Amino acid sequence: MSSEKTRRRFLEATGIAGVAALAGCSGNGGDGDGDGDGDSDGNGDTTTTESGGGNGGSNRLSWHAGGTGGTYYPLSNEIKTIVEANTDYSLNVQSTGASVENVGSLADGSADFALIQNDVAYFAKNGTGIDTFQDNAIENLQGVATLYPETITVVTLQDTGIESLSDLSGATINTGDLGSGTQVNANQILEAVGITDYNEQNAGFSQASEQLANGDIDAAFVVGGWPVGAIEDLANTNDVQIVPIQGENRQAVKDAASWFADDTIPGGTYTGVDEDVETVAVQAMIATHSDVPADTVETVTAAIFDNVDELSIKTDFISADSAQDGMSIELHEGAATYFDA
């Protein structure tokens, strides 16, 4: 399937799903439709919630994460443990397709909090950037905190001979789940460096890892904080190659989209990849919506950032001091109260 046909399929799929998800949110200020992830594995695993979003006087809150093969899901479960230990709230963490899907869940109130990418948040809030959001701004979307860099990792196997982005021309590439921030970023990057001739596959991180191991695809884009579990598992059983985004290619990517920043995957992060690999990153963030009460958002935010030492994931990045770095949308009143205190 050509990249152009697949891109149209993406827009149709996210448009239909998003419009359905957002149709009921006019009372929340959202009039558009809704990764991302940026983190997902698309396996459909979910944690069933017993109540809807929007709090509604209940102490049960819905938190939408990403796929189990990325970083969003395990980090969200660590946050769940912290919030439940330090507040009267309980969090129902749900595995999802990540950023774009999560925006839809926040827009229609089925999620109280979600992890999304800062670029997808900007697109959604401003009704731009992605055709799914074009002229359909999600007005009730609000920010809580930024967390850590979402590293763009282009992974392949050593025997494919793919060593640079230019080698992806004509390749079969998994660009991430349909509707995910990963797919959005992959298509942005490929377009920025002039790669238009490729066959696009769409699946989450864990399935992409299996596709690489089986020789069904040549390369995969993964967006998430390193180390990503699905890549770790692949590297433990296969000789992997991390394709750098560096030099002129890196500059072209940053020129095409201002939310990309320089990043490096340290050598030794993955088995067999001993040298540092230059790439780019976006930013993971916690988002909510305007109908979640201010005291709820303040309490949850305080629980997380007063107890970051209890986290074991991305601990070098997550802190109250850096929690507004790269914040791309309006801050929720409850979060602002906490950070301004």
Side-chain angles (χ1 to χ4, degrees):
M1 181 181 291
S2 70
S3 62
E4 197 58 42
K5 287 180 180 177
T6 305
R7 193 168 287 114
R8 286 198 296 270
R9 186 182 71 177
F10 157 67
L11 296 176
E12 291 169 359
T14 54
I16 292 169
V19 168
L22 298 172
C25 72
S26 59
N28 298 337
D31 56 3
D33 72 314
D35 140 29
D37 77 42
D39 263 303
S40 90
D41 81 351
N43 60 12
D45 292 341
T46 61
T47 300
T48 302
T49 60
E50 297 181 6
S51 63
N55 192 23
S58 169
N59 282 348
R60 295 181 65 80
L61 300 172
S62 178
W63 183 293
H64 286 200
T68 57
T71 306
Y72 281 9
Y73 189 75
L75 176 59
S76 293
N77 277 289
E78 289 198 355
I79 290 172
K80 168 185 169 71
T81 298
I82 290 173
V83 170
E84 292 183 347
N86 292 278
T87 74
D88 292 330
Y89 292 106
S90 63
L91 262 57
N92 295 286
V93 173
Q94 182 168 323
S95 173
T96 70
S99 292
V100 174
E101 179 180 335
N102 289 354
V103 168
S105 298
L106 291 170
D108 68 12
S110 59
D112 300 295
F113 296 90
L115 297 187
I116 61 178
Q117 293 174 199
N118 64 341
D119 57 330
V120 174
Y122 179 87
F123 295 151
K125 186 72 173 182
N126 291 279
T128 188
I130 304 173
D131 283 11
T132 306
F133 300 130
Q134 191 65 44
D135 300 323
N136 289 307
I138 312 304
E139 296 177 6
N140 69 336
L141 184 67
Q142 295 187 328
V144 176
T146 55
L147 297 173
Y148 61 88
E150 291 260 56
T151 305
I152 283 76
T153 304
V154 185
V155 60
T156 184
L157 300 185
Q158 291 182 13
D159 60 11
T160 64
I162 296 172
E163 297 182 352
S164 68
L165 290 182
S166 61
D167 295 328
L168 294 174
S169 184
T172 299
I173 308 169
N174 190 318
T175 60
D177 266 337
L178 285 170
S180 68
T182 299
Q183 188 196 28
V184 172
N185 293 150
N187 286 329
Q188 289 169 338
I189 289 167
L190 291 167
E191 183 176 354
V193 301
I195 304 295
T196 58
D197 176 23
Y198 60 94
N199 296 312
E200 185 174 7
Q201 297 290 315
N202 297 106
F205 300 167
S206 294
Q207 188 175 341
S209 177
E210 294 175 4
Q211 290 176 321
L212 281 167
N214 295 334
D216 296 329
I217 60 173
D218 300 306
F221 278 77
V222 176
V223 181
W226 48 259
V228 175
I231 301 178
E232 285 186 303
D233 292 343
L234 180 69
N236 288 335
T237 55
N238 296 266
D239 295 327
V240 303
Q241 173 93 15
I242 305 298
V243 181
I245 302 176
Q246 61 186 5
E248 293 181 358
N249 282 337
R250 179 192 257 181
Q251 191 58 50
V253 169
K254 293 194 296 181
D255 287 346
S258 60
W259 46 83
F260 287 117
D262 291 350
D263 199 8
T264 299
I265 303 170
T269 299
Y270 300 111
T271 301
V273 183
D274 298 326
E275 302 295 326
D276 291 354
V277 180
E278 293 184 352
T279 185
V280 292
V282 289
Q283 189 90 337
M285 61 176 284
I286 304 170
T288 186
H289 62 83
S290 56
D291 283 349
V292 180
D295 60 345
T296 299
V297 175
E298 181 182 2
T299 298
V300 170
T301 304
I304 296 168
F305 287 95
D306 287 350
N307 297 281
V308 290
D309 57 338
E310 297 179 23
L311 294 172
S312 67
I313 298 172
K314 312 311 294 182
T315 54
D316 290 344
F317 302 100
I318 300 174
S319 73
D321 290 339
S322 62
Q324 297 308 306
D325 294 350
M327 177 56 65
S328 56
I329 60 176
E330 172 193 1
L331 205 60
H332 190 286
E333 177 187 357
T337 299
Y338 172 78
F339 289 113
D340 291 343

Coordinates of all heavy atoms in Angstrom, one line a residue, residues 37-39 71-72 75 116-119 146-153 185 222-228 259-266 270 279-285 313-319 322 325-326:
D37 N 1.4 8.6 20.4 CA 1.9 8.6 21.1 C 3.1 8.6 21.2 O 2.5 7.9 20.3 CB 3.0 7.7 22.0 CG 3.7 7.3 22.2 OD1 4.1 7.7 22.1 OD2 4.3 7.5 22.7
G38 N 1.6 9.1 21.6 CA 2.7 8.6 21.1 C 3.0 7.2 21.5 O 3.6 6.5 20.7
D39 N 2.6 6.6 22.5 CA 3.0 5.3 23.0 C 1.8 4.4 22.8 O 0.7 4.5 23.4 CB 3.2 5.3 24.5 CG 4.7 5.4 24.8 OD1 5.4 4.5 24.4 OD2 5.0 6.3 25.6
T71 N 5.8 3.2 27.1 CA 6.2 3.8 28.4 C 4.9 4.3 29.1 O 4.9 4.3 30.4 CB 7.2 4.9 28.2 OG1 8.3 4.4 27.5 CG2 7.7 5.4 29.6
Y72 N 3.9 4.8 28.4 CA 2.8 5.4 29.0 C 2.1 4.4 30.0 O 1.7 4.9 31.1 CB 1.7 5.8 27.9 CG 2.0 7.0 27.1 CD1 3.2 7.7 27.3 CD2 1.1 7.6 26.3 CE1 3.4 8.9 26.6 CE2 1.3 8.7 25.6 CZ 2.5 9.4 25.7 OH 2.7 10.5 25.0
L75 N 4.2 3.6 33.3 CA 4.3 4.8 34.1 C 2.9 5.2 34.7 O 2.9 5.6 35.8 CB 4.8 6.0 33.2 CG 4.9 7.3 33.8 CD1 5.8 7.3 35.1 CD2 5.3 8.4 32.8
I116 N -0.5 12.3 26.7 CA -0.5 12.6 25.2 C 0.8 13.3 24.9 O 1.6 13.7 25.8 CB -1.7 13.5 24.8 CG1 -1.7 14.9 25.6 CG2 -3.0 12.8 25.1 CD1 -2.8 15.8 25.1
Q117 N 1.1 13.5 23.6 CA 2.3 14.2 23.2 C 2.0 15.7 23.2 O 0.9 16.1 22.8 CB 2.8 13.7 21.9 CG 3.3 12.3 21.9 CD 3.6 11.7 20.5 OE1 3.7 10.5 20.3 NE2 3.7 12.6 19.5
N118 N 3.0 16.5 23.4 CA 2.7 17.9 23.4 C 2.4 18.5 22.1 O 1.7 19.5 21.9 CB 3.9 18.7 24.1 CG 5.2 18.6 23.3 OD1 5.4 17.7 22.5 ND2 6.1 19.5 23.6
D119 N 2.9 17.9 21.0 CA 2.6 18.3 19.7 C 1.2 18.0 19.3 O 0.4 18.9 18.8 CB 3.6 17.8 18.6 CG 3.6 16.2 18.6 OD1 3.4 15.6 19.7 OD2 3.8 15.7 17.5
T146 N 4.1 18.6 31.9 CA 4.9 17.8 31.0 C 5.8 16.9 31.8 O 6.1 17.1 33.0 CB 5.8 18.7 30.1 OG1 6.6 19.6 30.9 CG2 4.9 19.5 29.2
L147 N 6.3 15.8 31.2 CA 6.9 14.7 32.0 C 8.4 14.4 31.5 O 9.3 14.6 32.2 CB 6.1 13.4 31.9 CG 4.7 13.5 32.5 CD1 3.9 12.2 32.2 CD2 4.8 13.8 34.0
Y148 N 8.5 14.0 30.2 CA 9.8 13.6 29.8 C 9.9 13.6 28.3 O 8.8 13.6 27.6 CB 10.1 12.1 30.3 CG 9.1 11.1 29.8 CD1 9.3 10.5 28.6 CD2 8.0 10.8 30.5 CE1 8.4 9.5 28.1 CE2 7.0 9.9 30.0 CZ 7.3 9.3 28.8 OH 6.3 8.3 28.4
P149 N 11.1 13.5 27.7 CA 11.2 13.5 26.2 C 10.6 12.2 25.7 O 10.9 11.1 26.2 CB 12.7 13.6 25.9 CG 13.3 14.1 27.2 CD 12.4 13.6 28.3
E150 N 9.8 12.3 24.6 CA 9.3 11.1 23.9 C 10.3 10.9 22.7 O 10.2 11.6 21.6 CB 7.9 11.4 23.3 CG 6.9 11.5 24.4 CD 6.1 10.2 24.5 OE1 6.8 9.2 24.7 OE2 4.9 10.2 24.4
T151 N 11.2 10.0 22.8 CA 12.2 9.8 21.8 C 11.7 9.1 20.6 O 11.0 8.1 20.7 CB 13.4 9.0 22.4 OG1 13.9 9.6 23.6 CG2 14.5 8.8 21.4
I152 N 12.0 9.6 19.4 CA 11.7 9.0 18.2 C 12.8 8.0 17.9 O 13.9 8.3 17.7 CB 11.5 10.0 17.0 CG1 10.2 10.7 17.1 CG2 11.5 9.2 15.7 CD1 10.1 11.8 18.1
T153 N 12.4 6.7 17.9 CA 13.4 5.6 17.6 C 13.0 4.9 16.4 O 11.8 4.4 16.2 CB 13.4 4.6 18.8 OG1 13.7 5.2 20.0 CG2 14.4 3.5 18.5
N185 N 4.1 11.5 13.9 CA 5.5 11.9 13.9 C 6.3 11.2 12.8 O 7.1 11.8 12.1 CB 6.2 11.6 15.2 CG 5.6 12.4 16.4 OD1 5.6 12.0 17.5 ND2 5.2 13.6 16.1
V222 N 9.1 4.0 16.6 CA 8.6 3.9 18.0 C 8.8 5.2 18.7 O 9.9 5.8 18.6 CB 9.4 2.8 18.7 CG1 8.9 2.7 20.2 CG2 9.2 1.4 18.0
V223 N 7.8 5.8 19.3 CA 7.9 7.0 20.0 C 7.6 6.8 21.5 O 6.5 6.4 21.9 CB 6.9 8.1 19.5 CG1 7.1 9.4 20.2 CG2 7.2 8.3 18.0
G224 N 8.6 7.0 22.3 CA 8.4 6.8 23.8 C 9.7 7.0 24.5 O 10.8 7.0 23.9
G225 N 9.6 7.2 25.8 CA 10.9 7.3 26.6 C 11.7 6.0 26.6 O 11.1 4.9 26.8
W226 N 13.0 6.2 26.3 CA 13.8 5.0 26.3 C 14.1 4.6 27.8 O 14.1 5.4 28.7 CB 15.1 5.2 25.6 CG 15.9 6.5 25.9 CD1 15.9 7.7 25.2 CD2 16.7 6.7 27.0 NE1 16.6 8.6 25.8 CE2 17.2 8.1 26.9 CE3 17.1 6.0 28.1 CZ2 18.0 8.6 27.9 CZ3 18.0 6.5 29.1 CH2 18.4 7.8 28.9
P227 N 14.3 3.3 28.0 CA 14.2 2.2 27.1 C 12.7 1.8 26.9 O 11.9 1.7 27.9 CB 15.0 1.1 27.7 CG 14.8 1.3 29.2 CD 14.8 2.8 29.4
V228 N 12.3 1.5 25.7 CA 11.0 1.0 25.4 C 11.0 -0.5 25.5 O 11.8 -1.2 24.8 CB 10.5 1.4 24.0 CG1 9.2 0.8 23.6 CG2 10.5 2.9 23.9
W259 N 8.2 21.6 17.3 CA 8.1 20.8 18.5 C 9.2 19.7 18.6 O 9.3 19.1 19.7 CB 6.7 20.2 18.7 CG 6.2 19.6 17.5 CD1 6.4 18.3 17.1 CD2 5.4 20.2 16.5 NE1 5.8 18.1 15.9 CE2 5.2 19.2 15.5 CE3 4.8 21.5 16.4 CZ2 4.4 19.5 14.4 CZ3 4.1 21.7 15.3 CH2 3.8 20.7 14.3
F260 N 9.9 19.4 17.5 CA 10.9 18.4 17.6 C 12.2 19.0 18.2 O 12.6 20.1 17.9 CB 11.3 17.8 16.2 CG 10.2 16.9 15.7 CD1 9.6 17.2 14.5 CD2 10.0 15.7 16.3 CE1 8.6 16.3 14.0 CE2 9.0 14.8 15.8 CZ 8.3 15.1 14.7
A261 N 12.8 18.3 19.1 CA 14.1 18.8 19.8 C 15.1 17.7 19.6 O 14.8 16.5 19.5 CB 13.8 19.1 21.2
D262 N 16.4 18.1 19.7 CA 17.5 17.1 19.7 C 17.4 16.1 20.9 O 17.0 16.5 22.0 CB 18.8 17.8 19.8 CG 19.2 18.6 18.5 OD1 18.5 18.5 17.5 OD2 20.1 19.4 18.6
D263 N 17.7 14.9 20.6 CA 17.7 13.9 21.6 C 18.8 12.8 21.3 O 19.2 12.7 20.1 CB 16.4 13.2 21.8 CG 16.2 12.5 23.1 OD1 17.1 12.6 24.0 OD2 15.2 11.8 23.3
T264 N 19.2 12.1 22.3 CA 20.2 11.0 22.1 C 19.8 9.8 22.8 O 19.4 9.9 24.0 CB 21.6 11.5 22.5 OG1 22.0 12.6 21.8 CG2 22.7 10.4 22.3
I265 N 19.9 8.6 22.2 CA 19.7 7.4 22.9 C 21.1 6.9 23.3 O 21.9 6.6 22.5 CB 19.0 6.3 21.9 CG1 17.7 6.9 21.4 CG2 18.8 5.0 22.7 CD1 17.1 6.0 20.3
P266 N 21.3 6.8 24.6 CA 22.7 6.4 25.1 C 23.1 5.0 24.6 O 22.2 4.1 24.6 CB 22.6 6.5 26.6 CG 21.4 7.4 26.8 CD 20.4 7.1 25.7
Y270 N 20.1 -0.5 24.6 CA 19.5 -1.7 24.0 C 20.7 -2.7 23.8 O 21.8 -2.2 23.3 CB 18.8 -1.5 22.8 CG 17.6 -0.5 23.0 CD1 17.6 0.8 22.5 CD2 16.5 -1.0 23.7 CE1 16.5 1.6 22.7 CE2 15.4 -0.1 24.0 CZ 15.4 1.2 23.4 OH 14.3 2.0 23.6
T279 N 19.0 11.4 17.6 CA 17.7 11.4 17.1 C 17.0 12.7 17.5 O 17.6 13.7 17.8 CB 16.9 10.1 17.6 OG1 15.6 10.1 16.9 CG2 16.8 10.1 19.1
V280 N 15.6 12.7 17.5 CA 14.8 13.8 17.9 C 13.8 13.3 18.9 O 13.5 12.1 19.0 CB 14.2 14.6 16.7 CG1 15.3 15.3 15.9 CG2 13.3 13.6 15.9
A281 N 13.1 14.3 19.5 CA 12.1 13.9 20.5 C 11.0 14.9 20.5 O 11.2 16.1 20.2 CB 12.7 13.7 21.9
V282 N 9.8 14.5 21.0 CA 8.7 15.4 21.4 C 8.6 15.3 22.9 O 9.6 14.8 23.6 CB 7.4 15.1 20.7 CG1 7.5 15.5 19.2 CG2 7.0 13.7 20.8
Q283 N 7.5 15.7 23.5 CA 7.4 15.7 25.0 C 6.1 15.0 25.4 O 5.1 15.3 24.9 CB 7.4 17.1 25.5 CG 7.6 17.2 27.0 CD 9.0 17.3 27.5 OE1 9.9 16.9 26.8 NE2 9.2 17.9 28.7
A284 N 6.2 14.1 26.4 CA 5.1 13.5 26.9 C 4.5 14.4 28.0 O 5.2 15.1 28.7 CB 5.4 12.2 27.6
M285 N 3.1 14.4 28.1 CA 2.5 15.3 29.1 C 1.2 14.7 29.6 O 0.7 13.8 29.0 CB 2.2 16.7 28.4 CG 1.3 16.6 27.3 SD 0.8 18.2 26.6 CE -0.4 18.8 27.9
I313 N 10.3 5.0 36.7 CA 10.4 5.2 35.3 C 10.6 6.7 35.0 O 9.9 7.6 35.5 CB 9.1 4.8 34.6 CG1 8.9 3.3 34.9 CG2 9.1 5.1 33.1 CD1 7.5 2.7 34.4
K314 N 11.6 7.0 34.1 CA 11.9 8.4 33.7 C 12.2 9.3 34.8 O 11.9 10.5 34.8 CB 10.8 8.9 32.8 CG 10.3 8.0 31.7 CD 11.4 7.4 30.9 CE 12.2 8.4 30.1 NZ 13.2 7.8 29.2
T315 N 12.9 8.8 35.9 CA 13.1 9.6 37.1 C 14.1 10.8 36.8 O 14.1 11.7 37.6 CB 13.6 8.7 38.2 OG1 14.8 8.0 37.7 CG2 12.6 7.7 38.6
D316 N 14.9 10.7 35.8 CA 15.9 11.7 35.5 C 15.2 13.0 34.9 O 15.8 14.0 34.8 CB 16.9 11.3 34.5 CG 17.9 10.3 35.1 OD1 17.9 10.2 36.3 OD2 18.6 9.6 34.3
F317 N 13.9 12.8 34.5 CA 13.2 13.9 33.8 C 12.0 14.5 34.5 O 11.7 15.7 34.4 CB 12.8 13.4 32.4 CG 13.9 12.9 31.6 CD1 14.1 11.6 31.4 CD2 14.7 13.8 30.9 CE1 15.1 11.1 30.6 CE2 15.7 13.3 30.1 CZ 16.0 12.0 30.0
I318 N 11.3 13.7 35.3 CA 10.0 14.1 35.9 C 10.3 14.8 37.2 O 10.8 14.3 38.1 CB 9.1 12.9 36.1 CG1 8.9 12.2 34.8 CG2 7.8 13.3 36.7 CD1 8.1 10.9 34.9
S319 N 9.9 16.1 37.2 CA 10.0 16.9 38.4 C 9.1 18.1 38.4 O 8.6 18.5 37.3 CB 11.4 17.4 38.6 OG 11.7 18.4 37.7
S322 N 10.5 21.1 36.3 CA 10.5 21.0 34.8 C 9.1 20.7 34.2 O 8.9 20.6 33.0 CB 11.4 19.9 34.3 OG 11.1 18.7 34.8
D325 N 7.9 22.8 31.3 CA 8.8 22.9 30.1 C 8.1 22.3 28.9 O 7.7 21.1 28.9 CB 10.1 22.2 30.3 CG 10.9 22.9 31.4 OD1 10.6 24.0 31.8 OD2 12.0 22.3 31.8
G326 N 7.9 23.0 27.8 CA 7.2 22.5 26.6 C 5.7 22.4 26.8 O 5.1 21.7 25.9

